[in-house]
Amino acid sequence: MTLSDDVLRLKKEKKAIILAHNYQRPEIQDIADYVGDSIELSRRAMEEKDARIILFSAVDFMAENAVILNPDKKVLLPSEGARCPMAQMLTVDELRRWKRKYPKLPVVLYVNTLAEVKAECDVCCTSANAIEVIKAVDSDALLFGPDRNLALYVAKHTNKRIIPVPDRGFCPTHVLFQKADIDFWRTKHPDATVIVHPECTPEVQAAADYVGSTSQMCDFAQRSNSKRFIVGTESGLLHRLKKENPNKEFILAYDGAICPNMKLNTMERLYLALKEEKYQVTVPKLVAEKARKALDCMLSLV
Ligand code: CIZ
Ligand code: SF4
């Protein structure tokens, strides 16, 4: 019996489902019930009526989203304190300060925010639907956080004035990609197609052929006639891209693009989390209700 067999046995015994984000280690993606982006995963969990436990192999805000959308299930995070540093960059106090400065403007928040902060916004968005959500918001100007690069990307694709809150929120992993990396790979493989995430810098986005969320990059790679791709997102997505497209080649544009927080989750920790039913993620009821409104609003707009 391997450790992954033990995890699968416990999963059955405990009526659990295992959700793995696109950035998880390959061996975890391979045993998960679903692999996807954060909102896809939380919505999948909503369809699993018989599941008692959701083991969410990802970081804090994603598990919180799962709690908000699945209030009757026990949501476990395999690693205690697996935090997304970008989500930590926008606190409730900071958001309230911005709201006081611009009291008339609607607030749109990326799902990469903690539940208590989501509870303070009008509507959420993901990197996959940010443009669509913001076009649908009935205002020419709005506050948007916490990712400045995503804010600039959306501003470019809409005619709206987007005020990033905080000033300089960012993903420490995606900002590691540099335009020089894209230039290097383009010279080496002129036939390759460059696909990057909107959390990358505007310079890297401008140098790419396609900008999209993790799920959009997977769809794009499948549809494209290209045989070789240079990829600008967290390393974990390469496993899924290669698995879904065995005849295509995928090269990570910068091989240090590894999110240490996502990689906190290991098979050993999945095993212990299921065995001991830890680390349970909870969201206070009132906060969950308010955050749910912002998530439902997003789902109704797109
Ligand atoms: O929402 C997600 O899952 C994130 C953070 C990445 C993406 O683009 O899918
Ligand atoms: Fe947060 Fe970036 Fe890691 Fe995603 S890759 S969890 S946005 S730090």
Side-chain angles (χ1 to χ4, degrees):
M1 278 271 257
T2 63
L3 189 55
S4 49
D5 291 331
D6 290 333
V7 169
L8 292 173
R9 176 181 50 79
L10 273 177
K11 181 189 88 152
K12 224 168 156 182
E13 273 173 32
K14 303 238 177 191
K15 286 196 171 180
I17 55 165
I18 300 178
L19 307 179
H21 189 264
N22 287 325
Y23 297 158
Q24 291 302 285
R25 293 168 191 270
E27 62 276 21
I28 294 179
Q29 294 191 25
D30 288 344
I31 60 136
D33 294 288
Y34 300 107
V35 179
D37 69 35
S38 60
I39 290 297
E40 274 170 3
L41 292 173
S42 289
R43 294 181 82 178
R44 282 281 186 192
M46 291 164 82
E47 292 159 17
E48 298 282 334
K49 302 275 180 251
D50 297 334
R52 185 175 69 85
I53 291 176
I54 300 172
L55 181 58
F56 207 134
S57 196
V59 291
D60 55 359
F61 75 85
M62 299 190 184
E64 284 188 348
N65 290 341
V67 173
I68 294 164
L69 294 172
N70 299 271
D72 301 332
K73 300 188 178 96
K74 189 170 186 179
V75 178
L76 305 177
L77 202 55
S79 305
E80 190 172 30
R83 292 192 180 87
C84 165
M86 183 209 281
Q88 306 287 323
M89 290 177 194
L90 185 58
T91 61
V92 173
D93 285 352
E94 168 105 26
L95 181 59
R96 286 187 181 156
R97 266 199 298 279
W98 285 92
K99 282 167 68 165
R100 277 198 295 274
K101 194 166 167 198
Y102 296 99
K104 293 210 174 75
L105 296 192
V107 181
V108 182
L109 291 185
Y110 192 18
V111 285
N112 294 34
T113 37
L114 294 171
E116 59 186 24
V117 183
K118 264 188 199 95
E120 301 273 321
C121 81
D122 298 298
V123 56
C124 291
C125 73
T126 67
S127 44
N129 64 27
I131 294 176
E132 225 180 319
V133 167
I134 285 170
K135 278 187 177 164
V137 171
D138 186 21
S139 171
D140 291 335
L142 46 95
L143 298 176
F144 179 87
D147 190 39
R148 183 183 173 87
N149 290 335
L150 183 62
L152 294 171
Y153 168 75
V154 174
K156 203 175 141 190
H157 292 275
T158 60
N159 286 325
K160 304 207 176 189
R161 180 172 168 233
I162 313 235
I163 299 165
V165 292
D167 268 336
R168 290 176 193 282
F170 64 94
C171 162
T173 302
H174 282 87
V175 297
L176 296 175
F177 293 100
Q178 299 186 350
K179 184 176 174 292
D181 301 321
I182 311 294
D183 295 344
F184 171 84
W185 288 110
R186 279 214 194 269
T187 308
K188 194 164 162 69
H189 298 301
D191 62 314
T193 301
V194 179
I195 58 177
V196 308
H197 197 277
E199 289 169 18
C200 293
T201 62
E203 296 73 32
V204 168
Q205 292 182 33
D209 298 304
Y210 178 77
V211 180
S213 71
T214 55
S215 38
Q216 287 171 328
M217 280 193 248
C218 290
D219 292 343
F220 180 87
Q222 266 184 338
R223 282 196 320 270
S224 164
N225 292 326
S226 188
K227 290 274 175 252
R228 188 181 272 144
F229 297 85
I230 310 302
V231 185
T233 192
E234 208 279 338
S235 63
L237 190 69
L238 277 277
H239 179 65
R240 179 170 163 198
L241 286 167
K242 287 176 186 167
K243 208 167 157 177
E244 290 177 353
N245 306 276
N247 299 319
K248 297 180 180 177
E249 189 190 348
F250 297 91
I251 300 166
L252 188 61
Y254 167 64
D255 70 1
I258 298 163
C259 174
N261 314 286
M262 283 285 182
K263 264 46 181 191
L264 280 171
N265 301 319
T266 60
M267 196 63 79
E268 288 78 8
R269 290 180 176 181
L270 259 68
Y271 171 77
L272 290 174
L274 273 179
K275 186 162 167 263
E276 294 165 23
E277 299 195 14
K278 64 182 188 185
Y279 297 93
Q280 186 174 0
V281 178
T282 55
V283 177
K285 199 163 172 276
L286 203 61
V287 170
E289 277 169 14
K290 286 196 199 162
R292 168 106 196 202
K293 272 198 192 131
L295 286 171
D296 284 343
C297 182
M298 164 182 89
L299 300 174
S300 72
L301 285 178
V302 295

